[in-house]
Amino acid sequence: MDKLAIDKFKNDIRFRHKIAHIEKIPGKKAIYMNLDEVNPKIAKYLEKNNIKLYKHQATAFKKIKNKKNIIITTPTASGKTLAFNLPILETMLKDKKATAMYIYPAKALSNDQLNILKELEKELEIEIKPATYDGDTPKNKKYGIRQNSRIILTNPYQIHHILSWHHQWKGFYSNLKYIVIDEAHYYKGIFGSNVAYLIRRLRRIAKFYGSSPQFILSSATLANPLELANKLVGENFYLIDKDTSPSGEKDFILYNPFYKNLKKNKGNNNSQLNSQNRTESIGNIKDLEDKFIEDTIANNNENNWTKITDGLSIHQETEMIFLYLLLKDIQTLCFTVSRKIAELIAMWAKKDMKNYKKPLAEKITAYRAGYLANERREIENGLKSRKYLGVTCTNALELGINIGSLDAVIISGYPGTMISTWQQAGRAGRGNQKSIIILLAFENQLDQYFMKNPEFFFDKPHENAIIDLNNKMIIKSHLLCAANEIPITAAEVNEIFKCDETLLDKAIESYDLIKNKREQYIYPHDDEASFKHSLDQLSNDSFKVMSNGKLLENMEIGQVYREAHEGAVLINKGETYIVDSVNLKSKYVNVYKQAVEYHTIVLKDVDIKIKSKIKKEKIGNFTVYFGELEVSEDYHKYKKMHFSKSLGTFTLDLPPLRFKTKGIWFTISNKIKEHLEDKFDEDNVFAGGLHGVEHGLIGLFPLHVMCDRFDIGGLSTNYHEDTQEATIFIYDAYEGGIGICEKAIEVFNQLVQSTKDLIDNCQCDSGCPSCIYSPKCGNENKPLHKDATRNILNFIQNEIDTAEQENILDKIHLEDNYNKINNKINNKINNKINNSINNSINNNFNNRISNNKVNNSINNNTNNTNNNFNNIMGNNEISNNNKINNKNNIENEEKTNNTEYNIQTKLKEALKFYKDKNYTFAKDLLIDILNYDKNNSDSWYLLGAILNEQGDENGALKFLKKSIIIDPANEKAHELIDIIKNQSIRK
């Protein structure tokens, strides 16, 4: 593989017309740092293996030695593992009893790290006996591991169940010096909130045995690493986030299969592939070359372009690119959205490769969770040795499993978070060689938004990982587990769980806890509390899905209602099953295997009651509320679907699913309804607009808050009895809430702007999956009205922006007034000083006249001499002052020129953002310019133009008039004012 092969893809006629954007990520050189003091064995190991520590590794080493909790957030393959392994092993070389616990979210990571530790143990000649301790560990080995291993590698699920057996681990816990939590970004949402309390239980056990371990967290790049670390562990941390490892140049390509392209006008389209014949080979790839007449970037906005996909599904398109790269000898990892798709693409690629280079077919395989451990190890090693040239996988290989570095990464569909995207992209890059990353877009809001807004994608900071420590169901679950492990006091409950005795009183009433004479709370049952409380879900209503007496999987009740109701098609490990019956009392779902060509979607009605208002947030002139909600979801029907065709609708007999949660809501005034009904003479126009806003906001929620769109629910209604107005609700789809919607208030303005941009830029006429359709809508995406959606979003944005505009004007007027007042004060001070000086000079002059009359004749000669001397000195001073003034003038001129250059540069950038309809970025730049120069007429004009585009004509006129006051010759401002006035007259 060479650099030329990498570059060929983006220029190939078969693909280039669908490339929406190419971001060139430059390579960088390593920055190294030496360690001052290090154990001789560590020093020898580094020297023998020719290892020079990067600066971030050396920094981590030093901070760990200084007893600091640290979190490292450098990218994949930047050497985070070595950064914490070395100081931990140095401690173990000194302290022969010291122990450490390594916590990983996946078993595969534990096994990978185990091999590294065994190698280090051998090289450093230290006895640590590292071992994994999880569900796969043989029973006959567990005792020996507990007694002898100094480093235990495990996962949260195992810790959850073994904490109550802490007496078996007395020696280990008594000497516990370090707890490592790898892939810390993985701990978010429900799972993260549960693990946060699990870690507090672990700390409590360690404290019971007299130890206070130091924490080391390793994570992908996050927007809030210190907040995550603090919430996850409950202690303060030092952040190491500057990557100093080397990397090669990368091309990151945004590829949009749903592109706009001008086709040959031949009445039929023989050039398209037959999408019905997927079981056959896709044929010779080169046959596709004649398909296109004229190509363009995928996000071209001209009206005469139509959306096509060449007859290929997104997964077929992925396979075609996968094959192309393999045929160029480019080792490629292809990330897919599911296990089934990973298997399908690998199967198709192996079959089609036999038509081109048969030997390469054996170098293609799939990788996913569910494979046996030895099978996964064989594929991981095969990637490192290049036995495998192409591997399709799920996000299982996103985590830090050691597979070496590859030439290319395909990401088929946006993974849901920027963190996952960059983790997957980080797999590309072998040493300093060039590599390529290709992100293929699906036809949903998020993917298409990135295709049309590449600068947002590459400039976007990584998301906030949300952990909610206030969910009462989670707190209660871990309180019972903690009491089962060691009797707990009210003081401990307050310290660990931050709750009062009310929760304890309720637990006693329900006989979940009892209180002994020592004022301790004890778990009174013979079973293990941990087995009643899952780390992955809130509800304890866990259902068993059974097929012919065999357990397929466990589900919580909400998932049963959505995916495993009677008649539902359930997919498990690529096989389809039909749900025969659901027993809500015994919590069993019975299914039978059957291959079918249809899938099912469930329909529901949602009702919401506002229980309490927690927060009222004023965003500009728009108000958003946050509070506790009671949600009722009535799953009343389901449909059988063959692709997009309905095969029939069937009724369900399920009691409504009721739960309390937290969410946001806002109201839309009746004036907007009247305006829309006057403007569009159609039925349900207002309801369709509200529904579209709800779908659009939910669709782009994960753009701003780290979550899945299925983590949130929504409701829009023309009238809600609690608000007395049309209302849109968005809520956490879990009992008690998990903090997602509360975080959304902070980014509500950006959420509205991005949703508005998405809908404005979508080329469909009345709504589509790329803008306002939702795959999870319980009302069959009815009613929806795209134009009404756009109008309501314009109203919300204007309400937010109006206050922003007023703040800008107020700020500038305040500066004007300040300058005027300041000038008046300065003038008064200067006048007083000048008067004082003049009076002093006059007095002195008069005194000198009266005193000198007698001596005039004597001093005439002397005065003449002095006058000559003063004239000479005065001329010299004038000459020096002129030099100084000239120098100052040159410096001031340079400063002025630099400022003018910066202003012109920003103005050009703002104009580009304006043309691309990225109004938020444009406004930010224009405000910066006006802070420098409030008399910049062009900036006022462009602000007015933006407001006009956003539908705020009054605000636009205000800014345009300001532009003309500053520069009466600004023709553009005059023209736009005339256009706005003419529009108003027509209306």
Side-chain angles (χ1 to χ4, degrees):
M1 196 284 302
D2 58 18
K3 183 178 178 181
L4 185 62
I6 287 285
D7 287 331
K8 280 183 179 177
F9 173 81
K10 61 191 177 189
N11 298 315
D12 195 292
I13 193 171
R14 290 160 286 187
F15 306 110
R16 69 189 188 199
H17 58 288
K18 299 183 185 180
I19 293 175
H21 180 79
I22 300 172
E23 186 79 7
K24 289 190 175 296
I25 302 171
K28 58 185 178 66
K29 293 181 179 179
I31 301 172
Y32 299 102
M33 179 187 277
N34 293 323
L35 294 173
D36 298 329
E37 295 180 12
V38 65
N39 186 286
K41 286 188 176 182
I42 301 284
K44 182 181 176 183
Y45 165 77
L46 295 173
E47 184 179 357
K48 178 185 173 184
N49 292 279
N50 197 27
I51 296 172
K52 292 169 68 178
L53 293 183
Y54 305 129
K55 185 177 179 181
H56 67 269
Q57 292 176 317
T59 302
F61 191 106
K62 290 177 180 180
K63 293 296 177 184
I64 293 170
K65 282 188 71 173
N66 291 333
K67 309 297 183 185
K68 296 283 187 183
N69 295 324
I70 67 163
I71 176 168
I72 315 174
T73 62
T74 54
T76 307
S78 59
K80 293 192 286 280
T81 300
L82 187 67
F84 59 74
N85 271 341
L86 291 181
I88 289 174
L89 290 171
E90 186 178 62
T91 298
M92 292 189 169
L93 283 166
K94 293 178 183 176
D95 183 348
K96 302 301 181 185
K97 291 185 178 180
T99 61
M101 179 181 284
Y102 286 31
I103 303 172
Y104 295 92
K107 292 178 185 177
L109 286 169
S110 300
N111 293 323
D112 199 40
Q113 181 63 246
L114 179 63
N115 293 329
I116 293 170
L117 286 169
K118 283 182 176 178
E119 188 63 31
L120 283 168
E121 180 183 39
K122 183 179 176 182
E123 293 247 17
L124 296 175
E125 298 174 347
I126 178 177
E127 189 176 15
I128 54 174
K129 296 183 179 177
T132 55
Y133 197 96
D134 54 35
D136 293 338
T137 306
K139 285 186 177 181
N140 61 345
K141 290 188 176 181
K142 287 187 174 181
Y143 177 81
I145 291 171
R146 292 195 299 265
Q147 299 303 312
N148 301 312
S149 293
R150 297 174 63 195
I151 296 183
I152 298 292
L153 301 98
T154 187
N155 58 67
Y157 305 100
Q158 188 68 22
I159 296 170
H160 184 48
H161 295 309
I162 65 174
L163 280 181
S164 61
W165 298 86
H166 54 84
H167 55 278
Q168 295 181 341
W169 295 79
K170 182 179 178 181
F172 183 85
Y173 287 131
S174 299
N175 295 286
L176 187 58
K177 296 290 185 281
Y178 299 102
I179 295 176
V180 175
I181 303 176
D182 202 4
E183 306 288 348
H185 60 276
Y186 198 83
Y187 301 107
K188 62 184 187 295
I190 291 175
F191 183 53
S193 302
N194 271 304
V195 171
Y197 280 115
L198 174 68
I199 297 299
R200 283 158 175 78
R201 286 162 48 201
L202 175 59
R203 284 175 55 203
R204 180 173 178 249
I205 297 295
K207 184 179 178 181
F208 180 78
Y209 287 101
S211 63
S212 179
Q214 187 177 343
F215 281 86
I216 300 164
L217 272 59
S218 170
S219 169
T221 306
L222 284 166
N224 63 334
L226 289 174
E227 179 190 358
L228 173 70
N230 177 264
K231 285 191 172 182
L232 193 60
V233 175
E235 293 188 7
N236 294 323
F237 280 78
Y238 179 88
L239 173 64
I240 298 171
D241 60 351
K242 289 182 174 58
D243 177 28
T244 53
S245 63
S247 64
E249 180 187 347
K250 289 182 173 71
D251 280 343
F252 200 128
I253 296 174
L254 301 184
Y255 185 93
N256 194 0
F258 304 93
Y259 66 107
K260 309 285 183 291
N261 205 358
L262 191 65
K263 301 292 290 180
K264 289 181 180 178
N265 186 16
K266 287 189 175 180
N268 63 359
N269 190 7
N270 295 326
S271 62
Q272 287 195 6
L273 295 179
N274 186 348
S275 60
Q276 303 301 316
N277 297 329
R278 176 59 260 177
T279 55
E280 300 177 7
S281 167
I282 64 171
N284 192 331
I285 292 179
K286 291 190 176 181
D287 290 343
L288 298 173
E289 287 191 14
D290 296 327
K291 288 173 58 181
F292 312 109
I293 297 251
E294 209 169 329
D295 47 68
T296 187
I297 230 75
N299 56 6
N300 194 295
N301 289 327
E302 294 296 325
N303 292 330
N304 60 333
W305 301 70
T306 55
K307 185 186 291 183
I308 60 172
T309 57
D310 301 336
L312 297 176
S313 76
I314 180 69
H315 307 307
Q316 292 167 324
E317 191 109 23
T318 300
E319 186 232 351
M320 191 168 75
I321 295 172
F322 187 52
L323 277 177
Y324 175 91
L325 295 174
L326 300 186
L327 286 167
K328 299 288 184 189
D329 195 36
I330 298 172
Q331 192 182 30
T332 304
L333 190 61
C334 177
F335 287 98
T336 65
V337 293
S338 69
R339 296 177 180 184
K340 183 177 180 180
I341 298 303
E343 295 280 11
L344 278 174
I345 292 175
M347 182 182 74
W348 295 342
K350 284 170 79 78
K351 184 175 181 179
D352 289 331
M353 185 60 84
K354 290 176 182 177
N355 296 327
Y356 308 117
K357 289 186 180 180
K358 193 172 182 180
L360 290 185
E362 299 306 314
K363 303 188 83 172
I364 298 170
T365 189
Y367 178 105
R368 61 172 175 80
Y371 283 7
L372 296 175
N374 63 321
E375 292 174 330
R376 293 199 303 269
R377 295 297 85 71
E378 191 270 333
I379 296 169
E380 291 160 16
N381 293 327
L383 277 169
K384 284 185 275 191
S385 65
R386 284 183 75 89
K387 174 185 175 183
Y388 291 111
L389 188 64
V391 173
T392 61
C393 63
T394 60
N395 61 359
L397 278 178
E398 174 188 312
L399 300 172
I401 299 163
N402 183 14
I403 56 170
S405 297
L406 304 136
D407 305 318
V409 163
I410 298 171
I411 305 172
S412 186
Y414 176 63
T417 68
M418 294 303 297
I419 291 171
S420 289
T421 304
W422 287 105
Q423 282 285 96
Q424 293 178 10
R427 288 300 190 181
R430 190 185 302 279
N432 292 319
Q433 293 183 16
K434 187 170 184 178
S435 58
I436 186 172
I437 303 117
I438 304 166
L439 171 61
L440 285 86
F442 282 12
E443 196 185 10
N444 60 49
Q445 291 103 321
L446 267 179
D447 292 43
Q448 290 302 311
Y449 184 83
F450 287 136
M451 295 298 120
K452 295 176 174 68
N453 299 274
E455 71 288 339
F456 187 95
F457 181 89
F458 291 103
D459 294 342
K460 176 175 163 48
H462 296 273
E463 301 92 344
N464 292 276
I466 297 171
I467 286 179
D468 182 23
L469 299 176
N470 299 313
N471 187 289
K472 292 179 181 177
M473 291 185 70
I474 293 176
I475 290 172
K476 182 183 176 183
S477 295
H478 289 276
L479 170 60
L480 298 184
C481 290
N484 184 40
E485 289 149 11
I486 302 171
I488 193 166
T489 64
E492 280 185 295
V493 170
N494 183 50
E495 179 187 350
I496 298 170
F497 300 103
K498 301 292 186 276
C499 60
D500 56 28
E501 294 189 29
T502 306
L503 186 63
L504 290 169
D505 293 339
K506 288 181 179 178
I508 288 174
E509 285 176 20
S510 59
Y511 196 59
D512 289 321
L513 293 176
I514 59 172
K515 192 174 183 181
N516 65 15
K517 293 179 181 179
R518 298 179 181 178
E519 297 293 307
Q520 295 172 320
Y521 295 86
I522 301 170
Y523 183 73
H525 307 291
D526 293 332
D527 57 15
E528 291 291 338
S530 62
F531 285 98
K532 292 182 178 178
H533 305 287
S534 168
L535 296 181
D536 293 313
Q537 58 194 39
L538 291 174
S539 173
N540 296 327
D541 294 330
S542 182
F543 284 68
K544 296 183 185 299
V545 180
M546 308 294 295
S547 175
N548 292 326
K550 179 186 174 183
L551 177 66
L552 291 183
E553 59 182 295
N554 291 299
M555 285 185 178
E556 55 93 20
I557 190 168
Q559 191 179 2
V560 171
Y561 271 54
R562 292 188 299 271
E563 301 174 18
H565 52 78
E566 283 188 18
V569 176
L570 183 68
I571 300 175
N572 182 280
K573 295 181 181 177
E575 303 285 348
T576 55
Y577 296 82
I578 307 297
V579 177
D580 183 47
S581 63
V582 178
N583 191 319
L584 295 176
K585 288 184 178 179
S586 63
K587 298 176 183 175
Y588 277 94
V589 176
N590 294 304
V591 302
Y592 58 91
K593 187 186 291 188
Q594 183 176 324
V596 293
E597 294 296 322
Y598 65 87
H599 66 280
T600 50
I601 59 171
V602 70
L603 306 179
K604 67 178 178 181
D605 290 329
V606 178
D607 183 47
I608 291 177
K609 292 181 180 178
I610 298 171
K611 303 302 291 182
S612 66
K613 291 177 185 177
I614 297 172
K615 191 186 294 184
K616 177 182 177 182
E617 194 75 23
K618 196 86 169 173
I619 305 169
N621 286 337
F622 193 73
T623 304
V624 180
Y625 298 91
F626 172 75
E628 188 177 12
L629 306 173
E630 186 175 85
V631 178
S632 174
E633 296 178 339
D634 183 12
Y635 294 81
H636 57 97
K637 292 179 183 177
Y638 73 95
K639 298 180 78 171
K640 292 182 180 179
M641 305 289 294
H642 181 68
F643 296 104
S644 58
K645 182 182 177 182
S646 174
L647 303 179
T649 303
F650 306 86
T651 58
L652 285 172
D653 184 20
L654 289 169
L657 198 60
R658 292 188 174 89
F659 60 95
K660 289 182 181 178
T661 185
K662 289 172 184 171
I664 61 172
W665 67 92
F666 52 87
T667 60
I668 305 296
S669 72
N670 207 45
K671 290 181 182 178
I672 305 301
K673 179 186 177 187
E674 293 170 0
H675 168 73
L676 291 174
E677 289 174 348
D678 288 342
K679 190 172 182 179
F680 305 101
D681 187 18
E682 302 171 38
D683 293 334
N684 293 321
V685 61
F686 186 49
L690 293 171
H691 199 188
V693 172
E694 176 209 332
H695 280 187
L697 293 176
I698 288 175
L700 288 189
F701 231 71
L703 196 66
H704 303 281
V705 180
M706 192 169 166
C707 68
D708 187 277
R709 66 184 299 162
F710 291 91
D711 290 335
I712 46 181
L715 171 69
S716 57
T717 176
N718 286 13
Y719 176 85
H720 193 274
E721 61 181 2
D722 291 338
T723 64
Q724 305 287 297
E725 288 186 275
T727 309
I728 294 175
F729 293 89
I730 301 174
Y731 57 88
D732 292 359
Y734 299 97
E735 179 81 33
I738 54 172
I740 294 172
C741 286
E742 185 173 13
K743 198 76 178 179
I745 292 180
E746 298 173 16
V747 294
F748 188 80
N749 187 4
Q750 297 95 303
L751 176 60
V752 171
Q753 181 66 60
S754 57
T755 306
K756 184 178 174 301
D757 289 347
L758 175 73
I759 292 168
D760 285 344
N761 290 324
C762 187
Q763 297 300 298
C764 71
D765 293 325
S766 56
C768 69
S770 295
C771 57
I772 59 174
Y773 279 31
S774 170
K776 57 175 284 191
C777 181
N779 295 309
E780 301 181 77
N781 284 300
K782 297 175 185 177
L784 285 173
H785 196 289
K786 184 178 179 181
D787 288 332
T789 299
R790 186 185 286 115
N791 274 263
I792 294 171
L793 285 168
N794 282 339
F795 161 73
I796 296 171
Q797 189 69 58
N798 290 341
E799 289 292 291
I800 292 170
D801 285 349
T802 300
E804 180 186 322
Q805 296 151 21
E806 289 170 357
N807 287 338
I808 296 168
L809 288 171
D810 288 345
K811 183 179 178 183
I812 290 165
H813 289 154
L814 188 66
E815 288 177 355
D816 284 341
N817 292 333
Y818 172 79
N819 289 334
K820 288 175 184 176
I821 293 167
N822 201 35
N823 288 337
K824 285 181 181 179
I825 292 169
N826 286 337
N827 288 336
K828 285 182 180 179
I829 292 169
N830 288 334
N831 288 336
K832 282 183 179 180
I833 292 169
N834 289 334
N835 289 335
S836 175
I837 291 169
N838 288 334
N839 288 335
S840 176
I841 290 169
N842 288 333
N843 289 335
N844 288 335
F845 180 73
N846 291 332
N847 289 334
R848 284 170 65 189
I849 288 173
S850 59
N851 290 332
N852 286 342
K853 278 182 180 179
V854 180
N855 298 319
N856 271 343
S857 59
I858 299 169
N859 292 329
N860 273 339
N861 291 333
T862 308
N863 285 338
N864 287 336
T865 305
N866 287 338
N867 285 337
N868 289 335
F869 177 76
N870 288 335
N871 285 336
I872 293 168
M873 293 303 295
N875 288 335
N876 286 338
E877 284 180 12
I878 289 166
S879 176
N880 288 334
N881 286 337
N882 284 337
K883 287 179 183 177
I884 292 166
N885 288 335
N886 286 337
K887 185 180 178 183
N888 288 339
N889 287 337
I890 291 168
E891 288 178 354
N892 288 334
E893 190 176 338
E894 287 176 355
K895 286 180 182 177
T896 302
N897 289 338
N898 286 336
T899 302
E900 286 176 1
Y901 173 77
N902 288 334
I903 286 173
Q904 289 305 315
T905 302
K906 286 188 176 182
L907 199 55
K908 286 178 183 176
E909 290 178 11
L911 186 60
K912 183 180 182 299
F913 281 129
Y914 167 72
K915 288 178 179 177
D916 293 340
K917 296 188 177 182
N918 290 315
Y919 300 133
T920 301
F921 295 115
K923 282 190 285 188
D924 288 343
L925 285 168
L926 293 170
I927 291 166
D928 282 346
I929 293 170
L930 291 171
N931 283 334
Y932 276 117
D933 177 14
K934 64 179 178 292
N935 291 321
N936 190 291
S937 175
D938 290 332
S939 295
W940 288 110
Y941 158 72
L942 201 48
L943 277 171
I946 289 169
L947 295 184
N948 181 52
E949 289 293 327
Q950 293 180 326
D952 182 7
E953 293 172 357
N954 292 330
L957 287 170
K958 189 185 293 184
F959 284 175
L960 292 169
K961 287 174 182 176
K962 179 81 175 177
S963 173
I964 291 170
I965 290 169
I966 295 166
D967 179 12
N970 192 323
E971 292 181 7
K972 291 180 181 177
H974 283 290
E975 288 174 7
L976 189 51
I977 286 175
D978 290 339
I979 291 169
I980 293 171
K981 285 181 177 178
N982 289 333
Q983 286 174 344
S984 298
I985 290 168
R986 280 198 223 84
K987 287 179 182 177

